[in-house]
């Protein structure tokens, strides 16, 4: 049988920081690639700096969570058998490619930018898979499905898109729209509006993935309950107790996505409403962009809070148990 452990639980704050910041860094890189930030303009430099900063915070949190942080490099000896070792290797690779991308921006070297950005995106996508796979352990059935990967992708899309939006308006405040304001013609405002629309889609997709992941997890656990030991019934009971907190997380994330979409719609209307003077519109002037950037900062903070809460729920769902084989007779 399985019996609940009464020992004091270890804080997962560092892991929450790692699994919140790292997907956000990956999301920034992936969205920057998809949205065409391939030059050394202000918006791209801000994006890569944000991605690298978040990746650094995530790495430090991950290493600090280890029992012996200074021995982290030695774990690379187990790459062939340990997903945790692979996680450390891939996150280090992602950080290095982000650094190359930033170096290319600072030096205005187009080939370095393209190579660094492409490799950061590819390694980042691989990193999300490796992190999710590292949590597939037999003693935590709640973590062993595809839901963990879906939630990491949701964090990458939700938080990542919010930070991309913030960097875009910060670049406007600095007098540069990441290529969207060049010449003030119709093509540039259209590109700007298209990027805003893509960021809205990313936010909505993140919310849909988070809701879907929890429904899939519950359905999977219920399907396994009849043939399982006490782990899954205990986990399902704990899941029910956490439902109010889950609803709060969904409410916070849904509100952030809704406000972002409204904000982007207003900004897009300003951009394409008067193409011949798009940057003269209120939101798109440097002064107006400062106010808009502050609003984007609030939206990014809401997304961070929502996904940090989602990560906290991820660690709270399983019930710590000890399996007592001798009593199963």
């Amino acid at each position: 049988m399985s019996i609940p452990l009464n020992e004091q639980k270890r804080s997962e704050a560092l892991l929450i920081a790692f699994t919140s910041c790292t997907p956000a860094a990956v999301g920034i890189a992936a969205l920057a690639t998809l949205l065409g930030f391939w030059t050394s303009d202000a918006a791209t430099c801000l994006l890569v700096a944000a991605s690298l900063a978040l990746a650094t915070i995530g790495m430090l949190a991950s290493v600090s969570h280890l029992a012996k942080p200074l021995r982290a490099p030695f774990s690379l000896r187990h790459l062939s058998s340990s997903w945790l070792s692979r996680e450390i290797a891939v996150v280090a690779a992602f950080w290095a490619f982000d650094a190359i991308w930033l170096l290319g921006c600072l030096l205005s070297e187009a080939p370095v930018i393209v190579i660094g950005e492409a490799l950061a995106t590819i390694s980042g996508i691989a990193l999300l898979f490796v992190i999710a796979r590292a949590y597939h352990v037999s003693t935590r059935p709640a973590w062993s499905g595809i839901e963990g990967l879906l939630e990491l992708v949701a964090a990458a899309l939700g938080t990542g898109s919010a930070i991309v939006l913030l960097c875009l308006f910060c670049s406007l405040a600095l007098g540069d729209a990441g290529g969207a304001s060049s010449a003030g013609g119709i093509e540039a405002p259209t590109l700007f509006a298209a990027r805003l629309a893509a960021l809205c889609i990313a936010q909505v997709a993140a919310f849909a993935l988070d809701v879907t992941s929890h429904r899939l997890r519950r359905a999977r656990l219920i399907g396994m309950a009849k043939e399982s030991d006490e782990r899954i019934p205990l986990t399902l009971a704990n899941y029910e107790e956490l439902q109010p907190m889950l609803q709060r997380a969904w409410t916070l994330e849904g509100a952030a996505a809704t406000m972002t979409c409204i904000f982007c719609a207003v900004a897009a209307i300003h951009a394409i409403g008067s193409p011949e003077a798009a940057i003269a519109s209120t939101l798109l002037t440097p002064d107006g962009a400062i106010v808009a950037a502050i609003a984007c900062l609030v939206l990014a903070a809401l997304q961070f809070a929502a996904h940090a809460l989602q990560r906290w729920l991820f660690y709270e769902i399983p019930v710590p148990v000890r399996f007592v084989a001798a009593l199963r007779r």
Side-chain angles (χ1 to χ4, degrees), residues 26-250:
V26 172
I28 294 169
L31 288 168
T33 301
L34 291 174
L35 298 180
F37 291 96
W38 292 91
T39 61
S40 58
D41 54 62
T44 304
C45 291
L46 289 173
L47 287 172
V48 63
S51 180
L52 184 61
L54 288 169
T56 301
I57 294 171
M59 283 184 63
L60 292 175
S62 177
V63 172
S64 299
H65 186 265
L66 299 176
K68 297 180 179 180
L70 295 180
R71 295 183 61 85
F74 294 100
S75 64
L76 298 177
R77 294 177 298 181
H78 307 292
L79 286 174
S80 61
S81 58
S82 171
W83 283 99
L84 182 59
S85 296
R86 295 166 189 163
E87 178 186 290
I88 294 173
V90 179
V91 75
F94 172 72
W95 187 93
F97 294 140
D98 251 4
I100 292 172
W101 182 15
L102 179 60
L103 180 64
C105 284
L106 295 177
L107 298 177
S108 297
E109 292 289 341
V112 179
I113 293 173
V114 171
I115 293 172
E117 185 172 356
L119 291 177
T121 298
I122 294 170
S123 62
I125 293 171
L127 176 58
L128 296 184
F129 172 79
V130 172
I131 293 174
R133 189 61 183 81
Y135 283 99
H136 284 210
V137 292
S138 59
T139 55
R140 297 289 189 271
W143 293 349
S144 298
I146 195 175
E147 307 88 27
L149 178 59
L150 294 181
E151 288 161 3
L152 291 173
V153 173
L157 290 175
T159 311
S161 61
I163 297 174
V164 171
L165 185 65
L166 172 61
C167 292
L168 195 55
F169 275 92
C170 284
S171 70
L172 273 173
L174 296 173
D176 181 276
S181 62
S182 58
I186 184 65
E187 293 180 0
T190 301
L191 172 62
F192 184 76
R195 285 172 170 169
L196 294 181
L199 295 176
C200 288
I201 293 172
Q203 295 256 318
V204 174
F207 180 63
L209 283 174
D210 271 327
V211 174
T212 300
S213 70
H214 285 282
R215 291 182 175 176
L216 288 176
R217 181 181 286 116
R218 283 177 56 82
R220 180 173 59 83
L221 292 174
I222 291 171
M224 296 169 59
K226 293 182 180 179
E227 299 179 358
S228 74
D229 54 48
E230 291 82 354
R231 289 188 188 95
I232 292 180
L234 286 171
T235 299
L236 283 170
N238 190 47
Y239 215 158
E240 289 297 327
E241 293 180 3
L242 292 171
Q243 283 301 303
M245 190 61 68
L246 177 59
Q247 294 295 331
R248 293 189 187 98
W250 284 349

